Amino acid sequence: MTCLLLLLLLLLFLFSSADSLTSPSDVSALKAFKATVKPNSIPPWSCLASWDFTVSDPCASPRRTHFTCGITCSSDSTRVTQLTLDPAGYTGRLTPLISGLTELLTLDLAENNFYGLIPSSISSLTSLKTLILRSNSFSGSLPDSVTRLNSLESIDISHNSLTGPLPKTMNSLSNLRQLDLSYNKLTGAIPKLPKNLIDLALKANTLSGPISKDSFTESTQLEIVELAENSFTGTLGAWFFLLESIQQVDLANNTLTGIEVLPPNLAGENNLVAVELGFNQIRGNAPASFAAYPRLSSLSMRYNVLHGVIPSEYERSKTLRRLYLDGNFLTGKPPARFVRTDAEVMGSLGNNCLQGCPGKAKVCAPSQKPFYICKQAYGGKPKS
């Protein structure tokens, strides 16, 4: 009888403790988070609508009717490790009390209508690996405190309204692999970047000034660089295309006036595959050295101010398959390989000053510039 009573008491204890598993600090943080979301922006079918703290514990299972989605808990059901909302159109501010979720690994509020500042208290989320606030209406600067989150591997705060410069201590994020702050209103220069960064996306901001080698010195694993639609100026140095791991570069729609290109060191491995430099103000000749990059398959320098002939090295390249040089002042004859009817190359050489670019060749469209414009550009008749 005594053993049976003890067993019943044990079962009662287990079931009662299962009703309140989640850390009180986590419960308080979740309550504060929901409280700052406007009730009329919470659809009845959404994750937040199922968060009812009066009848259920957030980490209790099974979650048949309450806390059905939006959070993930640790294996012992005591700590919230992920806060990943559905894109239901939630509207509200991100409460500073989010800092109470100290075991959070992922914070994902993408594609909602959160607005206001990103709270500096986010620096308390010291275990955070993934921060996704994409496609909201966050404003103000990216808090310097974010750079104290040493566990961060991925940041995506693209498509918001962030302003001001990037934190000068971005390089302290030693584990960061992906950074996407595209489509904001960020200003200033690129600070020194993290050493393990692989994917950098800062397109469609108002970043300005020259692109400095110092910013990229430590980033030896960088593969993708997207800096299009900013206000970068000056000459892009030869060091940029010689970065060890770089594969894809997009610098279109800036105000660059020059580029320097040296052949790669063939003793090492160069992985440059695609270069986009269109819609700048780059002057001079088309760099012949691009043809020396052993994996380069796509090159665009369209709508710049290039003069001279198309380098014969482009024709001899065995890897180049996409070439866009339209909208410049290039003269001479187009490379024969590019204008053949069976040409394997895609692109455009149109709107230049080329002679003998056959209309039947797709790459010759649109038609070449009028003679008087080309004459004016060269201070006389352009030389072939």
Side-chain angles (χ1 to χ4, degrees):
M1 183 69 177
T2 304
C3 292
L4 180 60
L5 182 60
L6 288 173
L7 180 60
L8 289 173
L9 289 173
L10 178 60
L11 289 173
L12 180 63
F13 171 78
L14 290 174
F15 280 110
S16 62
S17 63
D19 290 336
S20 182
L21 296 172
T22 312
S23 163
S25 62
D26 284 11
V27 174
S28 296
L30 292 175
K31 286 180 177 179
F33 176 82
K34 183 176 180 179
T36 56
V37 177
K38 295 181 178 180
N40 61 1
S41 73
I42 303 177
W45 44 263
S46 66
C47 288
L48 276 186
S50 74
W51 289 17
D52 190 337
F53 299 92
T54 62
V55 298
S56 181
D57 180 81
C59 289
S61 60
R63 300 176 190 168
R64 293 195 179 98
T65 56
H66 301 290
F67 295 95
T68 55
C69 57
I71 63 170
T72 301
C73 296
S74 58
S75 57
D76 62 359
S77 299
T78 61
R79 302 305 304 271
V80 176
T81 57
Q82 292 189 31
L83 175 50
T84 305
L85 288 190
D86 46 337
Y90 303 119
T91 300
R93 294 179 180 272
L94 178 58
T95 175
L97 298 179
I98 194 77
S99 60
L101 300 173
T102 54
E103 293 298 314
L104 206 62
L105 301 176
T106 299
L107 176 59
D108 184 351
L109 311 180
E111 299 178 36
N112 281 290
N113 296 315
F114 288 95
Y115 60 88
L117 303 179
I118 299 171
S120 59
S121 63
I122 201 170
S123 61
S124 297
L125 307 180
T126 54
S127 298
L128 198 66
K129 292 186 176 182
T130 303
L131 176 61
I132 303 176
L133 304 177
R134 180 184 66 248
S135 298
N136 280 282
S137 298
F138 287 106
S139 57
S141 61
L142 182 67
D144 289 347
S145 60
V146 168
T147 64
R148 297 202 291 271
L149 296 174
N150 294 325
S151 296
L152 268 179
E153 296 175 358
S154 178
I155 298 176
D156 185 351
I157 316 180
S158 61
H159 296 272
N160 279 277
S161 298
L162 298 182
T163 56
L166 291 168
K168 293 182 180 179
T169 53
M170 288 296 295
N171 63 320
S172 65
L173 293 169
S174 56
N175 289 300
L176 194 68
R177 312 287 276 176
Q178 296 176 310
L179 175 63
D180 191 348
L181 299 174
S182 301
Y183 296 95
N184 279 284
K185 302 173 184 178
L186 298 169
T187 56
I190 301 174
K192 186 164 289 191
L193 296 168
K195 64 179 181 179
N196 289 312
L197 194 64
I198 293 175
D199 188 344
L200 172 67
L202 298 173
K203 67 186 299 184
N205 280 284
T206 317
L207 299 169
S208 60
I211 297 174
S212 170
K213 183 177 182 179
D214 290 342
S215 304
F216 294 82
T217 301
E218 297 178 3
S219 304
T220 57
Q221 299 186 48
L222 199 58
E223 296 178 359
I224 300 173
V225 177
E226 296 182 66
L227 302 177
E229 299 176 54
N230 279 285
S231 300
F232 292 113
T233 57
T235 296
L236 184 63
W239 60 267
F240 185 84
F241 299 106
L242 296 175
L243 291 172
E244 286 182 41
S245 302
I246 199 158
Q247 297 179 15
Q248 299 177 43
V249 174
D250 187 355
L251 285 164
N253 294 93
N254 278 283
T255 318
L256 297 173
T257 53
I259 53 171
E260 298 172 352
V261 184
L262 293 175
N265 179 9
L266 296 181
E269 185 174 354
N270 187 281
N271 297 307
L272 189 64
V273 172
V275 174
E276 171 59 80
L277 292 165
F279 299 94
N280 278 279
Q281 297 175 15
I282 299 170
R283 299 177 179 275
N285 298 325
S289 294
F290 271 134
Y293 286 76
R295 291 180 172 82
L296 187 65
S297 64
S298 179
L299 175 61
S300 171
M301 290 183 285
R302 58 198 318 237
Y303 290 91
N304 278 284
V305 200
L306 297 176
H307 285 62
V309 299
I310 299 174
S312 59
E313 287 86 350
Y314 291 3
E315 181 171 12
R316 294 195 293 270
S317 170
K318 295 180 180 179
T319 60
L320 200 56
R321 291 292 178 267
R322 292 170 58 88
L323 180 64
Y324 288 88
L325 297 176
D326 48 314
N328 284 286
F329 296 89
L330 298 170
T331 188
K333 294 184 178 181
R337 180 167 77 90
F338 293 87
V339 297
R340 292 199 308 260
T341 54
D342 61 344
E344 298 177 355
V345 177
M346 295 177 59
S348 177
L349 305 178
N351 197 16
N352 275 291
C353 299
L354 298 172
Q355 293 86 46
C357 205
K360 62 183 179 180
K362 291 182 179 180
V363 296
C364 290
S367 59
Q368 301 298 304
K369 286 181 170 70
F371 176 77
Y372 75 92
I373 292 179
C374 296
K375 182 178 180 180
Q376 184 179 28
Y378 281 87
K381 185 176 179 180
K383 298 178 180 180
S384 60

